[in-house]
Amino acid sequence: MEETEELNAVKDPDPAGSGLPENAEKANNDKLPLAKGELVCALHAPCFVVGIGTSAGGQEPLEHIFTVVPTDCDVSFVVVMHIPPDGPAFIADLIKRYTSMEVLTAEDGMPLRPNTVHVIPPGVMLTVKKGKLRIDRSEVPGRAHHPIDRFFTSLAADCGARAIAVVL
């Protein structure tokens, strides 16, 4: 990539038109009331959200990821694991062993924050809307439970080009 192309990419990080602000400078100058450290990825740049989808067997890859990811990378992480409602809530404690980033069990309305790992609680559907995590505890009998698919879909819709999906 030539130097001018690189500069244009920085000035306009969303040339595909995903509905995000025209450039990072404009987004940083928006005057929405945000708590310290809060991100609203559909409105503010730079802001990347990494959604990590894994089955119960993904513990070792999670260890590898969080032992090497810098703790000050200004990225928000969301770990979504297939865990039944009566399943263990161990994943946040597991991740805390491998990173000094704050690791939180997701709560409804919790804002995505940089340098933070948000973890799905057992047996729920997790989505993101306007930069905040949303939890749906309702289960529909006979309907398959696909929390990773549902989260990735909402992540792409809310964060557009700032969404990163990792499947373990």
Side-chain angles (χ1 to χ4, degrees):
M1 181 183 287
E2 291 181 24
E3 185 177 350
T4 30
E5 289 177 35
E6 276 184 37
L7 291 174
N8 286 335
V10 170
K11 289 179 186 174
D12 186 8
D14 187 27
S18 66
L20 298 173
E22 290 178 18
N23 61 51
E25 183 179 339
K26 177 183 174 196
N28 287 331
N29 290 329
D30 285 348
K31 300 295 183 207
L32 294 177
L34 299 175
K36 183 177 178 169
E38 182 178 348
L39 4 139
V40 180
C41 35
L43 301 174
H44 292 272
C47 156
F48 290 91
V49 179
V50 177
I52 302 173
T54 182
S55 65
Q59 297 166 16
E60 188 176 336
L62 286 171
E63 174 185 350
H64 291 292
I65 290 169
F66 289 110
T67 54
V68 298
V69 168
T71 59
D72 60 350
C73 58
D74 290 332
V75 172
S76 182
F77 295 89
V78 182
V79 177
V80 180
M81 182 180 272
H82 289 282
I83 305 172
D86 58 346
F90 65 88
I91 197 68
D93 291 332
L94 176 85
I95 294 170
K96 284 178 186 178
R97 296 181 199 166
Y98 309 119
T99 183
S100 62
M101 280 189 275
E102 187 170 19
V103 181
L104 305 171
T105 299
E107 296 177 9
D108 192 48
M110 178 182 279
L112 292 170
R113 295 185 3 212
N115 305 319
T116 304
V117 181
H118 306 83
V119 179
I120 189 172
V124 302
M125 290 293 207
L126 185 67
T127 57
V128 62
K129 186 170 185 174
K130 295 184 180 177
K132 296 184 186 241
L133 296 171
R134 307 305 303 180
I135 291 181
D136 181 2
R137 297 185 186 283
S138 62
E139 287 208 26
V140 179
R143 185 172 162 193
H145 184 74
H146 298 290
I148 297 169
D149 295 345
R150 188 161 173 197
F151 181 76
F152 283 172
T153 300
S154 72
L155 179 64
D158 197 58
C159 298
R162 309 271 186 300
I164 300 168
V166 177
V167 178
L168 302 180

